[in-house]
Amino acid sequence: MGHSAHVSVAARARLQNDERRAQLLALGLRLFGERSYDEISIDDIAREAGVSKGLLYHYFGGKRAFYVACVAHAAEGLVAKLASVVGPPGEDRARAGLAAYLDFVEEHRVAYRTLMFGGLGNDPEVVAILERARGAIHGRMLSELGIDATERPVFRAAAVGWIGQVEASCLDWLVQGTPSRDELVALLLGSLFGVLASAKLVDPDADVELPPSPFAG
């Protein structure tokens, strides 16, 4: 067997491993979204997945590590979804970003709940994953406006607070089923422009020109 054949076999094996790992993570997100962390055993996970406990330990090292990997997988998916949105800052870009966020929430509602609620309470590793995702989101949002978050803490606080509102509103939306998606987008869009305008009032020296509010005039 030639070198290229060995490479091909290794590549296929890696692909199969990646696919199996992704399948296990998707299953884990569903299970942890349906039941609390303490209610699920490694035996439950293995049984649902149709694999041995040994294989789960091989991939993840244990239940806690598996849970952390599931949370990280959901966070990476959300950040990647938002990173796919492009365009100049303004109402259209903000609306497209919110649409992408809500697409993820709707398509992966169990994963989103798992990500936001976190079955390990204040576990530092889980909290760090969520904070990194939030940081990536508000960091991108501010950088697109030309704002350095370290130099303009008022705008950083405004962005962080707005993201918290988005998360709380989306969780309520998943449970209640209301308001409509269009109404939720309009509400969050208005809140975004309002909080940025407030930040500019508090920090008037910030060298940033905010896009006009969709509700102005």
Side-chain angles (χ1 to χ4, degrees):
M1 183 181 294
H3 176 69
S4 60
H6 281 295
V7 172
S8 178
V9 170
R12 283 200 302 272
R14 282 195 300 271
L15 181 61
Q16 289 173 346
N17 285 338
D18 289 344
E19 289 174 347
R20 172 54 63 87
R21 190 173 188 276
Q23 290 168 355
L24 291 171
L25 290 171
L27 171 67
L29 284 168
R30 178 176 65 79
L31 292 176
F32 290 123
E34 293 171 348
R35 287 177 276 166
S36 72
Y37 176 83
D38 290 334
E39 290 176 332
I40 300 172
S41 69
I42 199 73
D43 293 295
D44 294 330
I45 299 166
R47 183 168 54 253
E48 289 275 352
V51 300
S52 68
K53 286 194 296 182
L55 186 63
L56 281 173
Y57 281 111
H58 169 72
Y59 276 111
F60 302 104
K63 188 176 85 163
R64 180 189 175 281
F66 178 57
Y67 178 79
V68 170
C70 287
V71 173
H73 185 64
E76 289 163 5
L78 177 57
V79 171
K81 183 78 172 179
L82 295 177
S84 68
V85 178
V86 296
E91 180 187 351
D92 290 343
R93 171 69 179 78
R95 191 180 296 276
L98 279 170
Y101 193 100
L102 292 179
D103 283 345
F104 182 90
V105 172
E106 285 190 298
E107 293 167 11
H108 309 284
R109 56 184 56 222
V110 173
Y112 185 76
R113 286 198 300 267
T114 303
L115 174 63
M116 291 301 143
F117 286 129
L120 294 180
N122 292 320
D123 180 275
E125 197 169 357
V126 174
V127 171
I129 290 168
L130 187 52
E131 287 305 308
R132 279 197 299 273
R134 289 169 174 152
I137 295 168
H138 73 66
R140 179 182 175 89
M141 185 174 85
L142 293 178
S143 67
E144 288 176 350
L145 290 171
I147 299 171
D148 186 328
T150 59
E151 294 182 2
R152 308 254 69 101
V154 169
F155 280 87
R156 178 193 53 76
V160 169
W162 181 73
I163 290 168
Q165 180 188 356
V166 172
E167 293 172 357
S169 296
C170 285
L171 288 170
D172 178 74
W173 182 57
L174 286 177
V175 172
Q176 302 297 332
T178 55
S180 71
R181 178 182 165 121
D182 287 345
E183 288 171 334
L184 183 60
V185 168
L187 176 66
L188 294 174
L189 193 62
S191 176
L192 171 61
F193 281 86
V195 76
L196 290 176
S198 296
K200 179 65 173 176
L201 287 174
V202 176
D203 184 11
D205 295 332
D207 184 18
V208 57
E209 183 175 347
L210 299 178
S213 168
F215 306 109

